[in-house]
Amino acid sequence: GQTSVYAHLEKFNGPISEYVVKEQYRLKKSKVDLSPYKGEFIVQKGEVIAYSGNSGSSGGPHLHFDIRDEKQRPLNPLSFGFDEILARTPPIAQNIFVKTLDKNARVSGVFGTKKYALKRIGNDYRLEEPVEAIGKIGLMLEAHDKLDYSRFRCGINTINVTVGSQKTFGQHIERFAFSEQREIYRHMSFENLVQEGDRIHKLYIDDGNKLSFYDSDEQRGKLDLEEGEILPITISMMDAYGNESMVSLRIIGKHSEPTTTKSHSKFSTELIDNTMVFNVPKKVQDSKVRLNGLPLEVSYSTQYADHYLLDMRKELPKVAEVNNEFIPFDFKNTVAHGQKYNYYDDRIDIYFQRESLFDTLYLESSYLFDSLSNLEEWSLGRNTIPLRKSIKITLKPQLAYNKRNYRVYNVSNKSPSYEGGIWNDGVISFWTRSFGDYALLADTLAPSITPVRINQDHLIFKIKDDKSGIKEYKTLVNGEWVLMHYDYKRNLIWSEKLYKNKPFKGVVNVLVTDNTGNQQIYETTLN
């Protein structure tokens, strides 16, 4: 019942290659999903069935190899014992993160996440100075595994956390269902992934995490420290070859004096799980903050600022008054996870599926019209909050647009990315799996087609679209469909014949269409 999978191939070999090409020509599609009959292709050990390549969304030539169980869940292939792959180095740890998990918790006297560098001793790691914390906290670990002769970082299969003699958290990954792919965003620190590109393991089971590879106590790996308590903590990491390394640290329950190196030159806010943090720089006079018309008490002070904490489950901030300056917020409502929800207003409609959210969402939405650039922009949520399933967004523009050319783009980053959308009665709707800033932009230019090689044996072209992207491409020779392969990383398409000895002759037409419907046609004649 097990299946082996080979991906990012350059090409198939022998009878398999002939079968695939014939089916592509029969269906007149380059992308096909084929299931040969059982026994149709018998292969022997050592036989070449394909060649490794760089097709699809890969970063370089390599073989992606899976072994899957009878339910098509990928298994750990290293557990099958491949002598060609060596791993003699135990997992490597770099940093420990300690995070407050509710409004009353502190780490080194402050609310949020503190990072601690680990010291390596042989194959193990240690935090030399104890961490001072109080209340409910969670640990996170920046660590990875290495295979011999490889520059890549791998994940760690087994991690166990022991406090004293009690195991409080464990993960053991041997199989992984495709339906759980996005669940990994709840296992790691998604905020660190977005902002720093780091993959950091949570050593506790966060709210909304449905992954099945954990074993832990009723606290789900979360720690709750009282004044004077001392917790000796050991974190063991083991790879698929049994190489093991340990991380040791101590946490002392203590109300510490706040220490931070983070400077605050102006008023700022942070949303951390269910808590809103207001950072007010210190001035000559004491800072005074009112929230929704009522005074807000300082939660703690550091060298540079006073910090105010608000439990978002009790109240959403509408407007803050900071030293006589009024600061509005864009929070609209609290959206519970695990149920459908619709939000409507004059500028935007939002539909959440039952499984769209991992956890409770404090919905933010705003609309901005820039009269200088004549641009409407809709902001929705924070890109540091992951979505489990897509949400449907309907934008209600106030300007008139050419429905043929204008589509939705995510403009959160330097380069706008195409989202698409369907127009209906003056509004445009699209599905997305990320929060961000959206605008309507026009794409009026057709894709470009540049011949690279055209002869009786080969048809090779560069195709490119700088705005909405390539939707489809088609090549005809004397009206007959020709199979073209596409490498979007190189903007290259090239032909593969059905009959190798039949030359390309006659009128050659190449048609390329972008996602907005703009089409470019290239024509030439081969004699």
Side-chain angles (χ1 to χ4, degrees):
Q2 292 178 344
T3 307
S4 56
V5 179
Y6 311 81
H8 302 306
L9 303 176
E10 180 181 2
K11 61 183 179 179
F12 298 106
N13 188 48
I16 298 174
S17 177
E18 295 173 6
Y19 163 77
V20 172
V21 171
K22 285 181 181 178
E23 288 299 296
Q24 288 172 309
Y25 270 95
R26 183 179 70 83
L27 297 169
K28 292 183 170 56
K29 291 181 178 180
S30 58
K31 294 182 179 180
V32 292
D33 188 354
L34 305 175
S35 299
Y37 297 111
K38 182 178 180 180
E40 189 170 356
F41 298 103
I42 302 298
V43 295
Q44 304 297 326
K45 181 178 179 179
E47 182 179 343
V48 175
I49 58 175
Y51 297 90
S52 63
N54 189 26
S55 59
S57 57
S58 63
H62 72 290
L63 174 66
H64 173 113
F65 176 69
D66 282 359
I67 298 178
R68 301 180 187 174
D69 66 12
E70 68 281 357
K71 295 182 179 179
Q72 287 296 301
R73 294 175 297 188
L75 305 171
N76 181 4
L78 297 182
S79 64
F80 286 79
F82 289 94
D83 295 336
E84 300 90 342
I85 299 173
L86 300 177
R88 291 166 290 194
T89 303
I92 300 166
Q94 293 117 314
N95 297 293
I96 279 285
F97 296 77
V98 183
K99 180 181 178 180
T100 55
L101 297 182
D102 67 22
K103 177 186 169 185
N104 299 314
R106 300 286 186 273
V107 180
S108 294
V110 302
F111 179 86
T113 302
K114 294 279 287 184
K115 177 181 177 180
Y116 300 90
L118 293 167
K119 181 179 180 180
R120 182 168 183 170
I121 303 172
N123 286 329
D124 296 327
Y125 303 84
R126 188 170 68 198
L127 194 58
E128 303 235 291
E129 297 296 324
V131 175
E132 296 180 355
I134 203 75
K136 186 174 288 187
I137 62 169
L139 301 180
M140 298 189 294
L141 175 67
E142 185 177 6
H144 63 274
D145 192 32
K146 291 282 287 184
L147 302 177
D148 293 5
Y149 313 116
S150 172
R151 63 184 176 88
F152 296 106
R153 293 184 173 190
C154 301
I156 301 173
N157 297 66
T158 302
I159 301 178
N160 292 308
V161 179
T162 303
V163 178
S165 60
Q166 180 184 1
K167 181 178 176 181
T168 58
F169 173 87
Q171 71 170 54
H172 185 65
I173 308 172
E174 281 299 322
R175 67 185 70 218
F176 195 82
F178 285 107
S179 60
E180 293 184 322
Q181 280 188 97
R182 288 190 71 84
E183 301 292 327
I184 208 70
Y185 289 148
R186 208 61 182 162
H187 168 76
M188 66 175 66
S189 172
F190 188 73
E191 184 174 2
N192 282 86
L193 179 66
V194 171
Q195 295 179 341
E196 309 293 338
D198 297 328
R199 298 173 183 270
I200 298 172
H201 298 265
K202 292 178 183 175
L203 303 182
Y204 60 96
I205 305 173
D206 210 346
D207 296 341
N209 185 339
K210 295 184 177 181
L211 288 166
S212 56
F213 50 65
Y214 300 112
D215 55 271
S216 64
D217 65 356
E218 293 180 358
Q219 296 296 109
R220 297 164 63 88
K222 299 173 182 178
L223 307 177
D224 199 348
L225 280 102
E226 297 180 356
E227 183 74 32
E229 193 173 9
I230 300 176
L231 300 183
I233 296 173
T234 302
I235 303 167
S236 67
M237 306 174 290
M238 184 182 294
D239 64 20
Y241 286 77
N243 300 305
E244 187 175 14
S245 54
M246 314 286 282
V247 175
S248 302
L249 66 147
R250 285 186 304 145
I251 303 181
I252 298 174
K254 185 176 181 182
H255 287 276
S256 306
E257 285 298 317
T259 58
T260 180
T261 58
K262 190 173 183 180
S263 176
H264 295 276
S265 59
K266 60 182 180 179
F267 174 79
S268 65
T269 63
E270 300 172 81
L271 180 58
I272 303 175
D273 299 332
N274 297 310
T275 302
M276 174 66 80
V277 185
F278 303 88
N279 305 304
V280 183
K282 285 185 173 178
K283 298 184 178 180
V284 176
Q285 75 275 20
D286 293 336
S287 61
K288 294 181 180 179
V289 175
R290 296 174 68 88
L291 183 70
N292 301 341
L294 298 175
L296 197 61
E297 295 296 324
V298 176
S299 298
Y300 63 93
S301 296
T302 56
Q303 179 182 354
Y304 303 102
D306 292 326
H307 305 272
Y308 301 76
L309 304 182
L310 174 70
D311 188 338
M312 298 283 283
R313 293 169 294 185
K314 297 180 180 178
E315 181 181 14
L316 293 182
K318 300 296 184 184
V319 62
E321 181 185 351
V322 181
N323 294 333
N324 300 318
E325 179 185 353
F326 290 91
I327 301 165
F329 294 94
D330 298 316
F331 291 100
K332 305 301 182 183
N333 210 342
T334 300
V335 184
H337 70 290
Q339 62 186 43
K340 295 180 181 179
Y341 177 80
N342 285 283
Y343 172 80
Y344 305 100
D345 71 17
D346 295 338
R347 298 286 188 260
I348 192 171
D349 293 345
I350 311 161
Y351 167 65
F352 294 88
Q353 302 182 78
R354 189 170 60 86
E355 292 293 326
S356 289
L357 299 174
F358 285 100
D359 199 4
T360 301
L361 173 71
Y362 304 104
L363 178 63
E364 295 172 271
S365 176
S366 65
Y367 168 85
L368 176 67
F369 173 62
D370 186 338
S371 57
L372 293 178
S373 59
N374 208 36
L375 182 71
E376 296 180 271
E377 187 172 308
W378 293 260
S379 293
L380 178 63
R382 305 185 180 211
N383 67 348
T384 54
I385 298 175
L387 285 166
R388 175 183 276 127
K389 287 190 176 181
S390 300
I391 59 175
K392 183 181 180 182
I393 301 174
T394 300
L395 305 181
K396 303 176 182 180
Q398 306 305 297
L399 304 178
Y401 293 91
N402 182 332
K403 309 299 188 293
R404 182 185 179 279
N405 298 322
Y406 278 86
R407 295 293 185 275
V408 180
Y409 290 77
N410 189 318
V411 293
S412 304
N413 301 313
K414 292 181 180 179
S415 300
S417 59
Y418 179 79
E419 291 280 354
I422 298 174
W423 286 97
N424 184 27
D425 291 335
V427 302
I428 185 168
S429 300
F430 65 102
W431 289 86
T432 184
R433 285 203 295 193
S434 60
F435 293 117
D437 302 326
Y438 301 98
L440 290 167
L441 304 178
D443 182 1
T444 58
L445 299 177
S448 63
I449 304 174
T450 305
V452 176
R453 186 188 305 172
I454 305 174
N455 56 40
Q456 293 184 352
D457 295 315
H458 302 285
L459 303 174
I460 305 175
F461 301 89
K462 287 267 189 181
I463 62 173
K464 191 175 181 182
D465 188 84
D466 291 327
K467 201 65 176 287
S468 61
I470 303 293
K471 181 180 181 182
E472 57 186 11
Y473 53 91
K474 181 165 67 173
T475 299
L476 303 171
V477 176
N478 282 337
E480 293 186 0
W481 185 85
V482 177
L483 171 63
M484 304 293 287
H485 299 290
Y486 180 33
D487 183 352
Y488 66 84
K489 297 185 291 293
R490 295 186 293 160
N491 301 310
L492 201 67
I493 58 173
W494 65 94
S495 61
E496 182 170 358
K497 293 179 178 180
L498 177 60
Y499 303 109
K500 307 301 180 186
N501 297 323
K502 182 179 178 181
F504 291 126
K505 283 188 176 183
V507 178
V508 178
N509 291 109
V510 181
L511 300 87
V512 181
T513 308
D514 67 19
N515 281 297
T516 314
N518 301 305
Q519 187 177 80
Q520 185 70 267
I521 300 175
Y522 175 90
E523 183 175 308
T524 190
T525 301
L526 283 172
N527 297 317

